[in-house]
């Protein structure tokens, strides 16, 4: 069902790679809610993934950009404003990558060059897209910028590796930039802390299947799916949440406030069956 929550709004969606991507679902939902879109990803991801299909479905233009490169962000914003016919109302940052995770380097034997790349791609790209947008006055007043994060920024979860630091930095950027952009241009900036989700990036995390099962059992409402996340993003892009900014918003079925649940205890008890 559509509520026309984004009617007349122009948005840029970073990070849709394939149909599993959270950004993919967000683009579909935003389109259903009346938004006009530009989709962006790196040239390699566009070649490897299936972004064309999403662009056709949503009437969007694809503009390639590496979100760590200032010139590419400038070009992206110029082309997006030209295509959409004006300034931007919302942006989704749905970007994450850790070479240490990919190459299975454990946290206590980390490669520091990779660590820099993790922070650069997964967190500093957020600062860059905000700074370039602000300096070029790309976003309309009361516009909304959302980035996706994970609870490993606050709590230690085995296997998440240096992405934990990247997410902590990402959330901090949302607060620091949210203050400045809010004060000067009424632009709001938030992060959504999403449940584990089976996507290309998600599957790279060590022990993802167990993590999905664990957080499903621990969350009173169960894990939030990518579609659920897309719905939440739409509310944050809409005018219904104008005074929400600088927040880490937990979208995880209640996981973040749990210690132990009955369902998880039941599963854990099975390990004592032989005693
Ligand atoms: N999947 C999960 O369990 C989960 C949970 C919480 C948060 N998140 C976050 O959600 C976001 C989206 O991830 P996803 O799970 O949909 O996986 P995904 O693999 O579909 O998306 C990650 C995207 O980042 C893009 N990317 C990588 N380097 C880039 C660069 N330099 N410039 C521009 N784009 C670049 C990739 O091409 C890809 O499209 C990430 O920030 C991720 O950390 C995911």
């Amino acid at each position: 069902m559509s509520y026309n929550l984004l009617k007349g709004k122009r948005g840029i969606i970073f990070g849709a790679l394939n149909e599993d991507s959270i950004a993919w679902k967000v683009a579909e939902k935003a389109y259903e809610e009346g938004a006009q879109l530009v989709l962006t990803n790196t040239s390699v991801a566009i070649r490897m993934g299936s972004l064309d299909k999403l662009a056709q479905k949503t009437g969007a233009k694809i503009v390639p950009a590496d979100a760590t490169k200032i010139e590419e962000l400038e070009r992206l914003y110029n082309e997006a404003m030209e295509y959409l016919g004006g300034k931007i109302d919302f942006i989704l940052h749905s970007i994450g990558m850790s070479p240490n995770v990919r190459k299975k380097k454990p946290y206590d034997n980390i490669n520091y060059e990779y660590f820099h790349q993790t922070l650069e791609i997964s967190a500093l790209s957020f600062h860059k897209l905000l700074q370039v947008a602000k300096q070029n006055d790309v976003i309309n007043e009361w516009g909304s910028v959302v980035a996706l994060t994970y609870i490993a920024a606050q709590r230690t979860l085995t296997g998440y590796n240096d992405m934990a630091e990247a997410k902590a930095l990402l959330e901090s950027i949302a607060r620091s930039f949210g203050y400045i952009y809010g004060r000067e241009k009424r632009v709001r900036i938030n992060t959504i802390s999403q449940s584990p989700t089976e996507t290309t990036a998600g599957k790279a995390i060590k022990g993802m299947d167990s993590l999905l099962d664990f957080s499903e059992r621990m969350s009173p409402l169960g894990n939030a799916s990518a579609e659920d996340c897309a719905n939440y993003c739409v509310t944050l892009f809409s005018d219904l949440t104008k005074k929400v900014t600088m927040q880490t918003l937990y979208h995880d079925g209640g996981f973040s406030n749990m210690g132990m649940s009955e369902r998880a205890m039941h599963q854990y008890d099975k390990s004592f069956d032989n005693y």
Side-chain angles (χ1 to χ4, degrees), residues 2-265:
S2 163
Y3 305 92
N4 274 333
L5 284 176
L6 304 182
K7 193 158 182 243
K9 293 198 185 292
R10 308 178 185 102
I12 301 178
I13 307 277
F14 286 78
L17 174 69
N18 54 35
E19 289 186 20
D20 293 334
S21 299
I22 298 170
W24 186 288
K25 313 287 184 206
V26 177
E28 286 181 332
K29 264 289 169 229
Y31 173 69
E32 267 173 51
E33 290 295 331
Q36 288 175 273
L37 300 173
V38 161
L39 307 172
T40 182
N41 211 321
T42 60
S43 306
V44 181
I46 293 169
R47 267 202 310 279
M48 281 170 39
S50 41
L51 201 56
D52 273 345
K53 198 172 145 199
L54 181 64
Q56 273 170 22
K57 206 172 166 188
T58 58
K61 179 177 167 130
I62 299 176
V63 181
D66 180 330
T68 65
K69 302 213 164 91
I70 302 289
E71 330 75 65
E72 298 194 19
L73 288 168
E74 282 168 347
R75 196 173 55 83
L76 162 69
Y77 288 147
N78 286 336
E79 287 192 29
M81 286 193 290
E82 203 182 306
Y83 178 73
L84 298 172
K87 291 207 284 185
I88 306 303
D89 299 294
F90 65 88
I91 296 177
L92 176 74
H93 176 286
S94 185
I95 298 172
M97 209 281 282
S98 158
N100 279 308
V101 168
R102 277 214 180 160
K103 295 186 196 248
K104 303 196 183 345
K105 302 285 290 176
Y107 188 75
D108 53 355
N109 187 25
I110 213 162
N111 175 306
Y112 289 109
E113 228 170 87
Y114 293 166
F115 197 176
H116 277 283
Q117 286 173 34
T118 302
L119 298 178
E120 180 71 34
I121 294 168
S122 310
L124 290 185
S125 62
F126 191 43
H127 192 285
K128 286 182 182 175
L129 72 80
L130 288 165
Q131 182 162 300
V132 174
K134 182 165 181 289
Q135 286 176 355
N136 294 280
D137 198 17
V138 165
I139 306 178
N140 275 321
E141 277 216 346
W142 298 107
S144 172
V145 185
V146 170
L148 297 181
T149 187
Y150 185 53
I151 195 173
Q154 285 77 30
R155 312 261 167 91
T156 300
L157 283 125
T158 182
Y160 204 64
N161 213 317
D162 56 353
M163 279 301 288
E165 279 74 33
K167 292 307 191 191
L169 179 54
L170 183 84
E171 292 176 18
S172 180
I173 290 169
R175 288 187 292 273
S176 304
F177 224 119
Y179 164 57
I180 295 169
Y181 222 157
R183 183 188 67 194
E184 294 181 18
K185 297 275 181 185
R186 305 277 174 268
V187 170
R188 54 202 206 269
I189 305 175
N190 294 288
T191 56
I192 295 179
S193 187
Q194 164 68 9
S195 293
T197 316
E198 274 188 289
T199 62
T200 305
K203 284 177 200 152
I205 304 296
K206 197 171 158 228
M208 184 62 174
D209 287 344
S210 313
L211 187 64
L212 275 165
D213 183 78
F214 173 68
S215 56
E216 173 70 27
R217 284 174 199 280
M218 285 290 283
S219 314
L221 301 181
N223 287 332
S225 68
E227 287 84 1
D228 294 328
C229 187
N231 283 326
Y232 194 29
C233 286
V234 164
T235 67
L236 288 172
F237 296 151
S238 82
D239 293 337
L240 297 178
T241 50
K242 271 180 151 174
K243 291 291 174 79
V244 181
T245 194
M246 302 166 67
Q247 304 298 318
T248 297
L249 300 162
Y250 292 96
H251 182 255
D252 60 4
F255 177 85
S256 42
N257 270 343
M258 287 299 299
M260 179 52 102
S261 72
E262 219 169 69
R263 285 182 72 206
M265 183 77 91

